Amino acid sequence: MATVSGPSTGKAPGATPTKAAPADLLKKVVGTGALSSAMPSNPNKPAEIGDAAYHPPQGATAKPPSAVVTSSTVTESNASEKVGSGKPPQGVNATIDSLDRVRVDSGDRHLTTNQGVAIADNQNSLKIGLRGPTALEDFILREKITHFDHERIPERVVHARGSAAHGYFECYKALTPLTKAAPFAADGKQTPVFVRFSTVAGERGSTDTARDVRGFAVKFYTDEGNWDLVGNNMPIFFIQDAMKFPDLVHAVKPEPHFAMPQASSAHDTYWDFVSLMPESTHMLLWQMSDRAIPRSYRMMQGFGVHTFRLINAEGEAVFCKFHWTPTAGTHALAWDEAVKISGADPDFHRRDLWEAIEAGAYPEWELGLQVFSEEQAEEFEFDILDPTKIVPEEMVPVIPVGKLVLNRNPDNFFAETEQVAFCTAHIVPGIDFSNDPLLQGRIHSYVDTQITRLGGPNFHEIPINAPIAQIHNNQRDGMHRQAIARGRVSYEPNSLGGGCPFQAGSLKGFTSYPEPVAADKVRGKPEKFADHYSQANLFWKSQSPAEQNHIIKAFRFELTRVQTQAIRERVVSLLANVDSTLAEGVARGLGFPVPPPAPNISPLPAHTYEPSPALSMMSYPARDIKTRRVAILIAPGVDGAMARSIYTTLLDSGAVPRFVGITLGEVPATDAETLHAEISVEAGPSVLYDAVAIPDGAESVATLIKDGQVLEFIKDQYRHCKPIMAMGAAQSLLEKAGITPTLPSGDKDASIVGIDEKKTDTALNAFIKAMTAHKELARETDPPAI
């Protein structure tokens, strides 16, 4: 019955059951001795030496003679509402059950304190007399205020502003020849996921539509543990080594002396840094392209950025890059449009994702893999460990392997979206790292970050982070520990716990790919890392003329906001190594001649690539107009039958039409039926819609044409290249706004509908076709004509 020492020989005193020695306690003490004796040594130690270390065996175990032997206490069978049924689960970690175990609904329940004490009065603090001072003993007030004071946690240094959703990944066909990773183990296998999209540079309260890289992080809750594919909406990055990541982030963040600008790279410190880091050139073109201002999270690609390894059950490895492609097509905002959306609705992307999922229009992406061997990689003219390079799809095609569907919004933004912790170090058997030096740094950085943000090393126990696979290890204690470990053993090897938990061995457990390495310790980069311009040129010449023009305008805008002339010239000197048209266009917009090209340090000749259509967003069109927002402008005297027909047809096509009026309220129509404005032009400006339809009605048009906001609404629709449908008298609105049905080239503008189409059905078909193409970019002029 003592907890210290015991006899070294012979039978322990009290080994025979008596009233003084409870049977369970005796069973535990005697059984513990027998269990420990079953493991006189550690038989696995020889497997740690030499060649045997490549194939670790399963851990040695012994079975306890009874469950009580490995328990923490023989009183575990004493049940209560708090401790449980008295039959604690064995071989199970009950803390990682589904999120239902932590969901709270307060319907038909009274208020309580955090200790469960019912609160009689939640309106008044405890005072000494009705007009007297508040009492220090008011524990209800103190708990409420104290919790409120601590409701915020440190925000992420980068990717602070995010939006997320639950869903699933479905594998098309088993990929067992390539990898033993759980999500790819069987045809049609579904794996739960939680996906977080984010901007990078801005703080938590910044705007959604800033020009920025977007995070695209996917947490796979696999049956073999969590795998986090932590990527971006661009397949490359600014730097080649994690050593430079703090410098990059410090440079792009608000300048420290006056904390401006927020969520913007258009300032001196950012461009000073990247202009001195020519390896950033390729990424700068991506950042200045339309990909940096996506129309929606649902309409942007995602990439794993780095090169990873896939490993099959036989231990054979191949290299892999991950690609997410949206089924809704890849579409972008115009910069002027993005700026105005920031004022009209800074939550534009967050709202768009939430509303689509709530409406059942579940966002979907296809996962594709680029798979290549180590021998192939050695033949590439670039280094696959360089995160500033892509593997062109013409060299290694993307193979579709599954789909990602987001079908459930979070219940609570803080508990899920804010507290979710992604980490590139979270991989499962069948996935492994490459030696990409940026990836290697990220493996450490993310874990370190979450320890600070989420209160300690037990962030994995927060429900949104907990895996669905069982957790069993000897980690103990730490801040905010939730799991209550049963038993006295917290080390391995052990005999007091029957050797449990035991190592899984190479057949079931994670083992790193045994890549042979024989090299000097050195700080530096290989020669292929020094080619900073060949792939930048590939990206530039793979863009459509409209996309190229947008890149020039983006550089022009950003560098115009830079104060220091030397920095502007240094950036253009980098662009001079990429393409002369690009450099001349940017320099002309900044008012100086193109400077001499920046020094090219590469010892290798530049490589010339053929254009790659996959690099243009135009290569991923929409299949339909589902979830497209369409404004239908109405005023008293509108053709009611036509307005309802437009609304119904668009709704049936999957679009989201809205009746937009000058103000809210009833809108009498020509057929004596009343329409109801859903939002006003003031509260729902043009930039929040993908297209506009204006029904016929002389009286309605006469009212609309007098409103400057309406005319500005139509002008913005035109300026942002969006489809416009104007029927009958509504064409006078276009004339008043200075809009013509022809393009600058003189050709017909197919996205302006209603002039030639007299019937509503015919016009709607043309309108829907134009919306499927998203925008008529041939309409653009620089500067804008309207």
Side-chain angles (χ1 to χ4, degrees), residues 486-500:
R486 177 176 175 269
R488 66 196 289 191
V489 168
S490 58
Y491 55 90
E492 191 277 332
N494 69 72
S495 65
L496 295 176
C500 300

Side-chain angles (χ1 to χ4, degrees), residues 624-626 628-633 642-643 645-651 653 655-658 689-695 713-714 717-718 721-727 734 748-776 779:
D624 48 46
I625 63 167
K626 289 180 180 176
R628 300 300 177 85
R629 299 180 180 186
V630 187
I632 304 174
L633 295 179
M642 180 181 290
S645 174
I646 293 171
Y647 194 105
T648 302
T649 301
L650 292 174
L651 195 63
S653 299
V656 184
R658 300 201 85 185
Y689 303 96
D690 297 294
V692 63
I694 315 169
F713 189 109
I714 297 168
Q717 287 282 311
Y718 181 85
C721 303
K722 297 176 181 178
I724 299 172
M725 177 178 170
M727 300 301 294
L734 303 190
K748 182 181 184 302
D749 190 332
S751 289
I752 296 179
V753 176
I755 294 174
D756 298 328
E757 298 84 4
K758 304 305 179 186
K759 293 184 177 179
T760 305
D761 290 347
T762 306
L764 275 169
N765 289 335
F767 188 49
I768 291 171
K769 181 179 179 181
M771 287 175 61
T772 305
H774 190 56
K775 289 188 175 186
E776 180 54 84
R779 189 189 294 167

Side-chain angles (χ1 to χ4, degrees), residues 229-568:
L229 183 53
V230 194
N232 288 331
N233 72 325
M234 300 178 191
I236 56 170
F237 204 60
F238 297 90
I239 52 176
Q240 295 173 322
D241 194 299
M243 182 69 81
K244 301 306 298 176
F245 189 73
D247 299 303
L248 169 67
V249 175
H250 288 167
V252 76
K253 284 288 188 175
E255 298 192 12
H257 62 303
F258 59 8
M260 293 187 287
Q262 173 59 238
S264 173
S265 57
H267 58 100
D268 285 43
T269 60
Y270 172 73
W271 288 99
D272 181 39
F273 174 75
V274 295
S275 66
L276 294 170
M277 297 286 290
E279 67 196 61
S280 301
T281 307
H282 187 193
M283 184 63 176
L284 290 176
L285 266 71
W286 284 80
Q287 183 198 5
M288 294 300 109
S289 77
D290 291 343
R291 291 177 182 267
I293 40 176
R295 157 62 178 83
S296 164
Y297 287 137
R298 302 176 295 108
M299 299 173 188
M300 70 181 194
Q301 289 180 287
F303 304 90
V305 179
H306 307 287
T307 299
F308 291 85
R309 291 185 191 271
L310 300 180
I311 303 172
N312 65 17
E314 287 71 43
E316 300 164 335
V318 290
F319 286 124
C320 175
K321 282 185 172 286
F322 297 99
H323 297 244
W324 297 107
T325 303
T327 59
T330 55
H331 304 298
L333 301 170
W335 175 241
D336 180 66
E337 189 180 3
V339 171
K340 291 173 178 175
I341 289 174
S342 289
D345 186 2
D347 304 306
F348 184 72
H349 286 155
R350 179 175 292 176
R351 192 182 315 281
D352 173 88
L353 181 67
W354 179 276
E355 289 181 349
I357 294 173
E358 288 296 286
Y362 300 141
E364 185 174 323
W365 290 259
E366 187 168 66
L367 177 63
L369 307 182
Q370 283 182 297
V371 178
F372 49 96
S373 67
E374 193 155 355
E375 292 72 25
Q376 285 177 286
E378 289 174 356
E379 296 299 318
F380 295 157
E381 63 278 354
F382 52 89
D383 196 318
I384 55 100
L385 302 182
D386 181 353
T388 70
K389 305 294 193 299
I390 64 168
V391 178
E393 293 186 28
E394 290 71 23
M395 299 175 66
V396 179
V398 175
I399 306 168
V401 298
K403 67 177 181 180
L404 169 69
V405 179
L406 301 183
N407 61 2
R408 192 191 196 285
N409 279 317
D411 285 297
N412 183 272
F413 185 90
F414 179 84
E416 297 169 87
T417 305
E418 190 62 35
Q419 289 197 125
V420 68
F422 293 94
C423 182
T424 51
H426 295 164
I427 56 175
V428 294
I431 310 288
D432 205 350
F433 311 116
S434 71
N435 293 333
D436 178 331
L438 180 60
L439 173 60
Q440 294 287 314
R442 293 179 73 198
I443 291 168
H444 161 74
S445 177
Y446 282 66
V447 173
D448 192 45
T449 295
Q450 308 305 350
I451 289 173
T452 297
R453 286 194 64 247
L454 300 173
N458 293 310
F459 64 85
H460 61 279
E461 292 191 331
I462 296 172
I464 192 62
N465 296 321
I468 60 173
Q470 287 287 305
I471 300 175
H472 296 285
N473 56 47
N474 294 311
Q475 296 173 18
R476 295 291 187 268
D477 308 337
M479 291 183 68
H480 305 149
R481 183 69 169 179
Q482 303 295 308
I484 301 173
R486 177 176 175 269
R488 66 196 289 191
V489 168
S490 58
Y491 55 90
E492 191 277 332
N494 69 72
S495 65
L496 295 176
C500 300
F502 54 90
Q503 67 182 36
S506 57
L507 292 180
K508 292 184 178 180
F510 177 86
T511 55
S512 296
Y513 180 70
E515 178 186 9
V517 178
D520 299 327
K521 289 183 179 179
V522 61
R523 296 185 187 272
K525 299 179 177 69
E527 286 187 345
K528 287 184 178 180
F529 272 49
D531 181 3
H532 303 317
Y533 305 114
S534 295
Q535 289 207 353
N537 172 262
L538 165 64
F539 181 78
W540 168 258
K541 65 187 182 185
S542 299
Q543 304 303 294
S544 68
E547 289 172 305
Q548 289 182 342
N549 185 48
H550 295 171
I551 292 172
I552 291 174
K553 290 170 66 177
F555 273 110
R556 185 177 73 198
F557 172 86
E558 296 264 325
L559 294 173
T560 296
R561 295 183 67 87
V562 167
Q563 291 180 298
T564 308
Q565 177 64 14
I567 295 174
R568 295 177 184 145

Side-chain angles (χ1 to χ4, degrees), residues 64-347:
S66 71
V68 73
V69 171
T70 55
S71 67
S72 304
T73 168
V74 296
T75 64
E76 69 177 7
S77 59
N78 296 338
S80 78
E81 289 184 349
K82 178 62 176 176
V83 301
S85 65
K87 299 177 181 179
Q90 298 176 38
V92 171
N93 184 337
T95 69
I96 50 79
D97 202 352
S98 76
L99 294 182
D100 284 343
R101 68 186 172 85
V102 291
R103 288 199 171 95
V104 178
D105 182 82
S106 298
D108 200 29
R109 296 289 182 176
H110 56 239
L111 276 169
T112 72
T113 69
N114 285 333
Q115 305 306 314
V117 178
I119 297 173
D121 184 343
N122 189 48
Q123 316 307 317
N124 305 285
S125 54
L126 181 65
K127 305 177 187 70
I128 310 302
L130 291 178
R131 299 182 68 248
T134 299
L136 181 63
E137 72 180 61
D138 190 350
F139 66 95
I140 296 175
L141 170 69
R142 287 163 56 199
E143 179 192 88
K144 186 175 182 180
I145 293 294
T146 299
H147 192 280
F148 173 77
D149 291 343
H150 295 268
E151 281 181 357
R152 294 295 175 263
I153 63 175
E155 72 173 29
R156 292 166 170 87
V157 177
V158 288
H159 298 278
R161 181 173 181 79
S163 306
H166 294 274
Y168 64 89
F169 171 76
E170 182 177 313
C171 178
Y172 293 154
K173 294 288 183 182
L175 297 181
T176 45
L178 292 176
T179 178
K180 59 183 178 181
F184 310 112
D187 296 3
K189 182 176 182 179
Q190 291 190 355
T191 301
V193 299
F194 189 69
V195 180
R196 186 176 186 271
F197 306 103
S198 57
T199 52
V200 172
E203 296 172 6
R204 193 157 49 196
S206 60
T207 182
D208 274 351
T209 56
R211 176 178 292 281
D212 201 354
V213 184
R214 298 301 191 284
F216 193 128
V218 183
K219 186 180 288 292
F220 295 81
Y221 300 98
T222 87
D223 46 23
E224 294 188 356
N226 286 356
W227 170 35
D228 292 349
L229 183 53
V230 194
N232 288 331
N233 72 325
M234 300 178 191
I236 56 170
F237 204 60
F238 297 90
I239 52 176
Q240 295 173 322
D241 194 299
M243 182 69 81
K244 301 306 298 176
F245 189 73
D247 299 303
L248 169 67
V249 175
H250 288 167
V252 76
K253 284 288 188 175
E255 298 192 12
H257 62 303
F258 59 8
M260 293 187 287
Q262 173 59 238
S264 173
S265 57
H267 58 100
D268 285 43
T269 60
Y270 172 73
W271 288 99
D272 181 39
F273 174 75
V274 295
S275 66
L276 294 170
M277 297 286 290
E279 67 196 61
S280 301
T281 307
H282 187 193
M283 184 63 176
L284 290 176
L285 266 71
W286 284 80
Q287 183 198 5
M288 294 300 109
S289 77
D290 291 343
R291 291 177 182 267
I293 40 176
R295 157 62 178 83
S296 164
Y297 287 137
R298 302 176 295 108
M299 299 173 188
M300 70 181 194
Q301 289 180 287
F303 304 90
V305 179
H306 307 287
T307 299
F308 291 85
R309 291 185 191 271
L310 300 180
I311 303 172
N312 65 17
E314 287 71 43
E316 300 164 335
V318 290
F319 286 124
C320 175
K321 282 185 172 286
F322 297 99
H323 297 244
W324 297 107
T325 303
T327 59
T330 55
H331 304 298
L333 301 170
W335 175 241
D336 180 66
E337 189 180 3
V339 171
K340 291 173 178 175
I341 289 174
S342 289
D345 186 2
D347 304 306

